[in-house]
Amino acid sequence: MDAKPAHNFKYVGRSIPIEDGAAKASGSIKYTGDMVVDGILYAQLVFSQVPHARIKNIDISEAMAVPGVVKIYQRDNSTQIKFNSQMWFAGQNAVEDQELFPEVVRYIGDTVAAVVAETKEAALAAADLIKAEYDTLPVVIDPEEALSGQVALHDSGNPFFTMEANCGDVEAVLKTNAGVVVEDRVETPKIHHAAMENHVCIAVPDHRGRMTVYSPCQIVYSVRLIVAKVLGVPYHKVRVIKTPIGGSFGGKQEVTLETYCAYFAKDLNRPVKIEFDRWASIVATRTRTKTIGYVKTMVSPEGKIWARDMKYIVDTGAYTSNGRAICYAMAKKLFRLYRIPNQHYQALAVHTNTTIAGAARGYGSPQVQTIAEINLDNAARHLNMDPVEFRLKNLVHPYDADPSGGPDLGNARIIDCVRKGAETFGWNAKWSQPKRAGRWQTGVGMACATHGNGYYGAYQEFGTMTIRMLEDGSIMLNAGLHDLGNGTVTAMKQIVAEVLDISLDMIEAPEADTDVSPYDIGCQASRVIHVCGANAMQAAEELRSLFIIEAAKILTCNEAEIALEDGRIWRNGNSGNTMSYGQMAAMIQQKNQVELIRTVTYQAPANPGSYAANFVEVAVDTYTGFVKVVDVVAVHDIGQAINTGFVEGQIHGGIQMGLGMAIAEDIDYDEKSGIARGSRFSKYHLVNAPDMPPVRVILIEKGEEYGPYGAKSIGEIATIPITAATVNAINHALNANLTILPVTPDKIMAMLTEQQNK
Amino acid sequence: MLINLTVNGRQHTLEVEPQERLLDMLRQKLKLTGAKEGCGEGECGACTVIMNGEAVNSCMVLAYQAREAEILTIEGLAPNGGLDAVQHAFVENGAVQCGYCTPGMVMSTKALLMKNTNPTEAEIKEALAGNLCRCTGYVNIIKAVKAAAGELNGG
Amino acid sequence: MTGYRIAGFLRLEDVLREITQTSVRTVFISGGTDFINNGIGDKAELVIDLAQVADLKYIKDLGSEIRIGGGTTFAAIAASPIIKARASALAQAASRVGSVQIRNRATIGGNIASASPAGDSLPVLAAFTAGVHTAGSQGTRSLTLTEALNGLQAKEIITEVVIPTPGESRSGFVKIGSRSQVTIAKVSLAANIMYDRSKKMIIVGKAAMGALGKVPVCPLTVQQFFSQRVVDEHFADDLSQLLVETVDEMIAGRASRPYKRAAVKGLVYDLAGLLFDACENN
């Protein structure tokens, strides 16, 4: 724990260790896979081995003979209700094209059948014996090939969705033929979230006909919605409990195993568990969208961006999932980082016979901003201008408006980020360093990014929390919290502790349980600190007011005379006679007959931008194509850190993830067979400890009006700028324009070989 | 068949299946669920335990192969759910986020420090190269290992 | 579920007695790092665990050769003063097998028996022209590495690897993977040479490339090239050229060829660094 109290805060800003750290470090915390439930059954899904086919026949005879098999599910004996696994609120307009057991399998990993058995081993053995016969259908893997519509996976056709967003008049500006036009095609890969915990779920039916779902999820109310739909029961018959989660990064945001688990548990009236292995987590849950961007940027000779025309092909895989929502989310970011008077954005969403894409840390934002930032570096290069200088001419300023009509940007401090980062990194010297011949070529790159703070401006953005002071003075914050391992619960406690001036160990803030947590739309959209944190702050403030009102009655004084500090309360001027909060709370109960409780629904009034700039130095081995990332400086405008250590932790982890997208990670589907090449960790390499660069984090903390204590989001933006910054550094090192990500050694060597042959 | 082994200082005689992995035995028979399965192929290290003084992937060892072995798991580092110096350093240095890789990371660290009380950064990274983490970028984990080594060397 | 039985012994003679007496399909497990996922156990009725057979774990320096027990782990090989001093390429290869956890279990005998093309020890053994001793129900055999990699008989154990060390040699191992550590070799290279330091001349030597096929490739052209070759400024480029030709020949038409042939130069420069610069600085 560091000793830095930011500003005059007592709890906010401090690097207090995560509250369940000891339970995690001792191995005593129980994740869903560690939970024991009496009489539980195990379900094993049977995955399609072909990328696109109509199922002709499924032979389960051998599988049924395996001792311990309870039931085998397939289309004929199961519900055929359709749903969309990313719906998170009732009445959401989303294409419902998923079923538990589709008639047509659309990717390798689609669900053909499922075995439920007394043991995991029996379920697995029986699943291996199920034989499906297929009538194969034409396959499309390449998203650009999918655009032709020759292979349609659903009635919605291919592309199944297109949208546009605009400001100014791009066409008119382009027609002037003034300035410099820089065009790029950039491709980002399908990425696996790679939470260390695989997907897992337990569903337990009870005597009242209710279903309790234990899920390491991000949105309990989304799980409830979709499970209730698949079970065909009212919402109050489903209880969803968010369990300790071994990482998510969006991978556990959508409802995947919960539907199967609950459906089997209801049908058999016994608890059921499903636990995926790594192959299934990679191939049969969700991925980041593969995204291909065509960007055309028109700049003035002085380096002002006049216009930008962008077309993004968004590959959402075999089902629609969030394929429409993500196109909107992508669009928003592109109007909120630079002052570009004329912009046109077009997204074309396609289905391919690959794993379903879905939420993934940044929700499309890393893809589109990576593409745009690579193009901007090329624009700077065409102008023969330092990319830092070029960006500084064009970046947004605090309190700019969003030209596409979104919420105002708030205290947008990206210029501070770039200035501070360039200075700390030593950009000027490194950028202008002359190239030397030799095997290792060094280069530097940078990139900027923005991300949101909740759904305000797009969807309803509110939540409810109940806070109580118990009669011993301890605090319960009851809310739909989902800690993904990033420290949400601890951060909420810090906010409450700051308001009530009480130590953290006197506060409990349990995670989401639909039976007891008020409604909240969960951990998504970088909303938790900015929206839930403000909710917690307001709830705590109202509790504090109530406490003061009631205490004033006890102490027979004015409310203004009441003093609170460090869990003790007294009447001003009478500090020799203090009481603990508990003593006072008990007296308030006895004498005033009042419970110290407040329930607060908070509606977010704003959605400012979080901002970041990353600076990267790489050394590229021109003999092998190996990229060594030597140095990273990450500067983030986060308003105010609630827990500085957690913020740094998010940035470190985000950089590990974004580096993977830049240079290593790609699920990579074979164009003919549809088989994922990167379907295991031995074939899908995450950056490990030896290859992780040192990271210097700098926080710009200049506050944000509506954030709790001025705080803005960090979790998603942390992974955005590093990818383009790294690719830009590689291209700087090699004087190249590598734009197909990840930039792996084989792509680098192919480019160098081509350069040599010229 | 029956095997004898010592786990966290306690002797056990256990009936194991020929195909059973050490990881399954620890988790299911001994209810020691600290070691996790992240990949089942020795790539992620979430299942790391110390066997006869060496870090091993317990998903890559058959339970039968642990006969007469001394096994140390995360649960055996400190009594009653307490924390030893390594675990404590992990918590205090922000090396724990979601916690799923933590038991494996801690056991790899423990195995390193049992042999090398003053490792260099390169040695730390090599010792942890077989343990994947998606949350921390390893930055605070490496910091924690250094802190633990410092602690063990008398601060 | 597979239905094999498992048995384990502490002495080689007990293993050999068991395999002579049993008539069921028998396979072996040692470190287990390949066995558990490669499906070998699926076809077996009996699995014999070699991991605790003490007399398969040794490293002996006999002067003109080094003998390594088949059950010796890569951690032990990487740490061995004998190997580091007399067959440093093998120590380097052993230290780059998988992770610490894998090296603590995986054995040199297992690396040969699994015969993965990317096995890190294999090109080193090929460059040293190592021999492989086996024992089985048919008695003992003495095999070349290639013979051992092309298939052992049923119920045959790799008991010993013999590395000839006729004189003082220099050796090195390098590989390229997609990470700097814990990575499967895309292509690897080992060499073992007799070197006259005063003349800066290789007297005789042999190199082997890994991950190009089932068996490491030891190009004859390289052996000819090494013969009485002065290590001058053209050395690395000339050697690269020869190895590129080898890659072209071995994996013509494969998708991985363009990268492997391009990356050969890096391997050669790394190897030359290990063999010469580092030594000269001592």
Side-chain angles (χ1 to χ4, degrees):
Chain A
M1 177 164 132
D2 81 352
K4 173 205 155 199
H7 302 292
N8 295 314
F9 299 134
K10 212 173 207 171
Y11 299 99
V12 162
R14 296 193 135 197
S15 298
I16 294 166
I18 196 163
E19 53 123 29
D20 53 5
K24 287 167 174 170
S26 65
S28 61
I29 192 170
K30 297 293 175 209
Y31 297 89
T32 314
D34 305 331
M35 289 167 56
V36 177
V37 179
D38 239 8
I40 201 160
L41 297 169
Y42 298 84
Q44 175 66 45
L45 303 189
V46 179
F47 301 105
S48 170
Q49 299 300 316
V50 295
H52 200 188
R54 188 169 296 278
I55 299 174
K56 212 156 71 178
N57 182 45
I58 301 174
D59 180 359
I60 63 165
S61 52
E62 274 184 67
M64 276 308 291
V66 172
V69 169
V70 175
K71 186 164 177 181
I72 294 175
Y73 291 87
Q74 48 180 309
R75 186 176 179 80
D76 295 346
N77 64 356
S78 304
T79 180
Q80 293 176 13
I81 195 153
K82 288 178 183 288
F83 58 92
N84 181 320
S85 61
Q86 65 95 33
M87 272 181 72
W88 78 85
F89 64 87
Q92 187 177 357
N93 174 21
V95 175
E96 297 184 310
D97 56 13
Q98 289 169 261
E99 297 167 280
L100 293 188
F101 302 102
E103 205 173 0
V104 172
V105 288
R106 296 179 174 89
Y107 71 104
I108 292 177
D110 212 343
T111 319
V112 171
V115 180
V116 181
E118 297 286 348
T119 65
K120 198 173 174 178
E121 292 73 19
L124 196 58
D128 279 347
L129 294 171
I130 288 177
K131 294 180 190 83
E133 279 179 69
Y134 302 103
D135 278 329
T136 58
L137 295 166
V139 172
V140 64
I141 303 292
D142 178 354
E144 291 193 282
E145 212 174 286
L147 283 176
S148 74
Q150 282 181 336
V151 180
L153 279 70
H154 300 276
D155 295 341
S156 48
N158 230 350
F160 66 89
F161 173 72
T162 60
M163 68 156 287
E164 293 184 40
N166 280 293
C167 69
D169 189 344
V170 170
E171 237 175 274
V173 178
L174 283 174
K175 266 189 211 150
T176 62
N177 284 326
V180 182
V181 176
V182 181
E183 285 189 67
D184 280 295
R185 176 189 180 280
V186 185
E187 195 174 311
T188 67
K190 267 197 180 237
I191 298 273
H192 170 51
H193 306 78
M196 286 300 114
E197 176 197 45
N198 284 307
H199 285 65
V200 57
C201 179
I202 292 173
V204 183
D206 69 19
H207 64 283
R208 301 169 69 183
R210 300 185 80 216
M211 183 66 61
T212 301
V213 179
Y214 296 88
S215 173
C217 62
Q218 290 185 218
I219 316 169
V220 287
Y221 286 103
S222 170
V223 177
R224 187 178 73 177
L225 176 90
I226 293 167
V227 167
K229 174 155 203 170
V230 170
L231 299 189
V233 298
Y235 290 1
H236 71 285
K237 290 292 184 194
V238 177
R239 175 182 186 183
V240 181
I241 298 175
K242 188 265 172 192
T243 47
I245 194 168
S248 181
F249 314 102
K252 292 169 186 151
Q253 177 167 325
E254 294 194 13
V255 182
T256 54
L257 308 189
E258 295 94 334
T259 47
Y260 292 99
C261 218
Y263 185 77
F264 305 151
K266 180 166 190 271
D267 183 53
L268 298 168
N269 198 27
R270 285 183 61 182
V272 173
K273 179 180 193 175
I274 303 181
E275 193 166 16
F276 270 6
D277 63 9
R278 183 56 58 183
W279 180 90
S281 284
I282 294 179
V283 167
T285 65
R286 298 292 177 272
T287 71
R288 194 182 283 294
T289 61
K290 184 186 178 95
T291 306
I292 299 168
Y294 288 87
V295 188
K296 193 190 283 187
T297 302
M298 189 187 210
V299 289
S300 77
E302 302 77 38
K304 286 295 258 186
I305 304 172
W306 279 339
R308 186 159 72 174
D309 192 12
M310 298 165 289
K311 182 172 84 172
Y312 291 98
I313 298 143
V314 181
D315 174 6
T316 73
Y319 293 87
T320 300
S321 170
N322 68 346
R324 283 161 37 161
I326 202 169
C327 293
Y328 287 104
M330 287 170 162
K332 279 192 282 177
K333 313 303 180 298
L334 295 162
F335 292 83
R336 297 170 67 87
L337 183 55
Y338 297 97
R339 287 176 161 176
I340 304 176
N342 304 285
Q343 273 209 101
H344 173 245
Y345 162 94
Q346 184 189 22
L348 302 105
V350 295
H351 289 127
T352 59
N353 297 109
T354 63
T355 307
I356 309 168
R361 196 182 204 170
Y363 214 82
S365 188
Q367 295 94 303
V368 293
Q369 294 196 64
T370 295
I371 291 165
E373 288 291 301
I374 290 171
N375 169 258
L376 279 192
D377 249 44
N378 284 330
R381 199 188 324 196
H382 274 83
L383 294 169
N384 210 10
M385 191 178 277
D386 180 331
V388 167
E389 190 195 335
F390 173 60
R391 282 178 174 83
L392 284 171
K393 284 175 192 279
N394 292 286
L395 284 164
V396 294
H397 290 232
Y399 307 104
D400 274 5
D402 178 336
S404 68
D408 287 353
L409 310 187
N411 192 8
R413 292 282 170 181
I414 181 62
I415 291 174
D416 296 19
C417 291
V418 172
R419 289 226 163 91
K420 186 85 188 157
E423 181 194 319
T424 307
F425 183 77
W427 174 268
N428 287 345
K430 285 177 176 166
W431 171 256
S432 50
Q433 201 171 19
K435 291 280 161 210
R436 276 181 301 197
R439 173 174 175 177
W440 289 87
Q441 289 292 315
T442 58
V444 292
M446 59 86 62
C448 300
T450 184
H451 202 71
N453 278 272
Y455 276 126
Y456 176 79
Y459 300 96
Q460 68 273 31
E461 178 50 287
F462 75 102
T464 301
M465 293 187 180
T466 295
I467 191 166
R468 289 190 287 167
M469 184 184 290
L470 308 186
E471 44 277 40
D472 64 350
S474 61
I475 305 291
M476 285 292 296
L477 176 70
N478 202 258
L481 298 176
H482 303 71
D483 196 323
L484 305 187
N486 51 330
T488 295
V489 167
T490 312
M492 292 299 149
K493 287 184 183 181
Q494 284 177 261
I495 291 170
V496 170
E498 191 70 43
V499 174
L500 293 172
D501 205 342
I502 187 174
S503 78
L504 253 63
D505 43 12
M506 287 296 278
I507 304 167
E508 200 48 63
E511 293 190 68
D513 171 344
T514 55
D515 266 15
V516 289
S517 308
Y519 184 79
D520 188 89
I521 54 172
C523 184
Q524 54 173 335
S526 280
R527 64 184 291 277
V528 174
I529 275 298
H530 191 254
V531 180
C532 303
N535 194 348
M537 185 171 173
Q538 192 181 326
E541 283 168 348
E542 291 198 12
L543 178 66
R544 184 187 165 105
S545 299
L546 176 65
F547 187 42
I548 290 172
I549 290 168
E550 296 300 326
K553 292 177 195 163
I554 301 286
L555 298 174
T556 55
C557 64
N558 288 331
E559 289 152 25
E561 290 177 89
I562 299 287
L564 280 77
E565 197 179 317
D566 271 337
R568 300 198 70 83
I569 183 166
W570 66 92
R571 183 179 165 178
N572 263 335
N574 193 9
S575 59
N577 196 7
T578 71
M579 246 187 274
S580 72
Y581 286 2
Q583 285 168 313
M584 179 58 79
M587 284 176 72
I588 289 169
Q589 283 206 351
Q590 288 160 29
K591 299 199 171 156
N592 304 2
Q593 300 193 67
V594 165
E595 186 182 2
L596 295 169
I597 183 167
R598 273 289 174 261
T599 294
V600 172
T601 294
Y602 175 80
Q603 295 148 345
N607 191 349
S610 287
Y611 288 88
N614 280 186
F615 295 79
V616 178
E617 181 175 359
V618 299
V620 184
D621 182 350
T622 58
Y623 289 5
T624 66
F626 190 82
V627 174
K628 190 170 171 54
V629 182
V630 180
D631 188 20
V632 175
V633 170
V635 195
H636 283 260
D637 161 27
I638 51 135
Q640 165 66 47
I642 298 298
N643 182 313
T644 305
F646 293 173
V647 170
E648 289 167 352
Q650 286 300 298
I651 295 167
H652 297 154
I655 283 172
Q656 190 270 0
M657 195 172 189
L659 270 181
M661 181 161 145
I663 61 174
E665 297 181 32
D666 187 359
I667 299 176
D668 187 20
Y669 295 82
D670 183 82
E671 295 277 329
K672 285 205 184 87
S673 67
I675 292 172
R677 296 186 183 98
S679 63
R680 294 184 286 145
F681 276 159
S682 54
K683 302 278 168 101
Y684 184 95
H685 271 180
L686 307 187
V687 172
N688 61 0
D691 289 346
M692 182 70 192
V695 178
R696 289 181 278 167
V697 173
I698 298 167
L699 302 183
I700 306 290
E701 295 178 282
K702 295 196 172 170
E704 185 62 59
E705 187 176 2
Y706 294 103
Y709 296 103
K712 295 195 278 196
S713 66
I714 185 63
E716 296 189 272
I717 194 170
T719 202
I720 302 173
I722 188 69
T723 308
T726 305
V727 174
N728 288 341
I730 295 168
N731 284 329
H732 178 235
L734 302 176
N735 191 25
N737 189 19
L738 292 159
T739 55
I740 298 179
L741 278 55
V743 180
T744 49
D746 56 319
K747 288 175 193 155
I748 290 174
M749 292 315 289
M751 181 276 298
L752 289 173
T753 306
E754 202 180 312
Q755 262 185 7
Q756 266 170 9
N757 293 343
K758 268 182 191 167
Chain B
M1 72 215 70
L2 287 175
I3 63 163
N4 295 308
L5 80 169
T6 305
V7 180
N8 299 335
R10 279 186 59 188
Q11 287 189 316
H12 295 271
T13 300
L14 295 173
E15 177 71 31
V16 299
E17 297 296 319
Q19 294 81 13
E20 188 175 336
R21 302 171 304 170
L22 176 57
L23 176 64
D24 306 323
M25 186 194 79
L26 292 171
R27 288 178 56 84
Q28 286 158 28
K29 299 222 162 92
L30 297 178
K31 311 291 178 204
L32 296 169
T33 54
K36 310 294 183 204
E37 178 160 357
C39 69
E41 55 165 345
E43 284 282 328
C44 79
C47 66
T48 303
V49 300
I50 296 179
M51 179 165 161
N52 299 326
E54 313 269 12
V56 301
N57 293 312
S58 62
C59 77
M60 294 271 97
V61 178
L62 292 179
Y64 177 77
Q65 296 187 292
R67 61 199 185 283
E68 308 301 336
E70 278 208 35
I71 308 287
L72 181 60
T73 73
I74 189 77
E75 292 88 348
L77 294 184
N80 306 324
L83 304 179
D84 81 343
V86 176
Q87 292 166 307
H88 191 254
F90 269 62
V91 175
E92 289 296 311
N93 287 281
V96 179
Q97 287 193 28
C98 87
Y100 208 79
C101 77
T102 308
M105 286 285 181
V106 168
M107 295 316 287
S108 282
T109 303
K110 188 81 188 170
L112 168 71
L113 297 180
M114 277 161 50
K115 290 188 175 168
N116 179 354
T117 54
N118 196 16
T120 62
E121 180 152 331
E123 286 168 338
I124 293 170
K125 287 180 172 178
E126 181 175 356
L128 301 180
N131 292 80
L132 298 176
C133 173
R134 191 58 137 178
C135 295
T136 66
Y138 314 99
V139 177
N140 287 344
I141 291 176
I142 290 162
K143 199 166 122 193
V145 177
K146 288 178 184 166
E151 181 72 21
L152 293 169
N153 290 327
Chain C
M1 290 207 66
T2 55
Y4 61 75
R5 283 190 305 117
I6 191 161
F9 303 92
L10 302 179
R11 295 183 312 176
L12 181 59
E13 62 180 292
D14 296 331
V15 175
L16 295 176
R17 186 181 316 113
E18 176 70 21
I19 59 179
T20 315
Q21 286 169 358
T22 186
S23 57
V24 302
R25 269 170 302 166
T26 304
V27 299
F28 302 98
I29 180 172
S30 189
T33 54
D34 284 323
F35 178 94
I36 286 183
N37 283 329
N38 70 4
I40 281 180
D42 297 349
K43 300 161 228 150
E45 291 166 89
L46 174 64
V47 172
I48 294 178
D49 178 28
L50 302 175
Q52 296 190 14
V53 178
D55 44 357
L56 287 176
K57 294 175 189 296
Y58 56 84
I59 298 169
K60 290 182 201 156
D61 186 351
L62 302 184
S64 62
E65 62 188 33
I66 295 168
R67 292 178 170 239
I68 303 174
T72 309
T73 65
F74 285 115
I77 292 169
S80 159
I82 296 171
I83 302 294
K84 283 199 238 181
R86 306 209 56 213
S88 54
L90 188 58
Q92 290 154 11
S95 71
R96 299 200 61 190
V97 173
S99 59
V100 169
Q101 292 97 314
I102 296 292
R103 296 196 286 275
N104 283 335
R105 292 292 297 170
T107 63
I108 191 162
N111 214 209
I112 299 169
S114 309
S116 157
D120 287 326
S121 71
L122 306 180
V124 178
L125 299 179
F128 273 92
T129 321
V132 177
H133 290 168
T134 68
S137 50
Q138 315 288 317
T140 59
R141 294 204 296 163
S142 204
L143 305 174
T144 64
L145 178 67
T146 303
E147 287 166 342
L149 290 173
N150 278 325
L152 299 170
Q153 294 169 352
K155 293 196 266 188
E156 187 174 23
I157 302 165
I158 294 169
T159 53
E160 192 173 62
V161 175
V162 181
I163 299 177
T165 48
E168 204 174 304
S169 76
R170 288 182 176 194
S171 65
F173 167 82
V174 288
K175 78 168 175 182
I176 294 173
S178 53
R179 283 190 297 222
S180 56
Q181 289 184 38
V182 194
T183 186
I184 297 163
K186 290 181 192 167
V187 54
S188 60
L189 173 66
N192 181 37
I193 56 168
M194 306 292 238
Y195 184 64
D196 184 331
R197 191 172 162 178
S198 59
K199 293 183 187 154
K200 287 201 169 192
M201 187 171 78
I202 299 171
I203 298 160
V204 61
K206 188 174 174 187
M209 294 185 85
L212 294 181
K214 188 170 181 185
V215 173
V217 184
C218 302
L220 213 53
T221 51
V222 174
Q223 284 179 60
Q224 288 158 356
F225 169 80
F226 277 164
S227 173
Q228 307 291 317
R229 165 75 194 213
V230 173
V231 180
D232 54 21
E233 68 271 29
H234 303 295
F235 173 80
D237 288 334
D238 291 351
L239 179 56
S240 299
Q241 189 50 44
L242 292 176
L243 293 178
V244 166
E245 285 164 18
T246 305
V247 170
D248 286 345
E249 206 175 300
M250 291 303 300
I251 55 169
R254 298 256 196 96
S256 62
R257 176 177 154 266
Y259 178 72
K260 289 184 179 184
R261 78 190 300 276
V264 156
K265 188 172 168 187
L267 277 179
V268 169
Y269 273 76
D270 287 344
L271 181 73
L274 282 175
L275 289 176
F276 307 113
D277 304 340
C279 299
E280 304 317 287
N281 292 339
N282 280 343

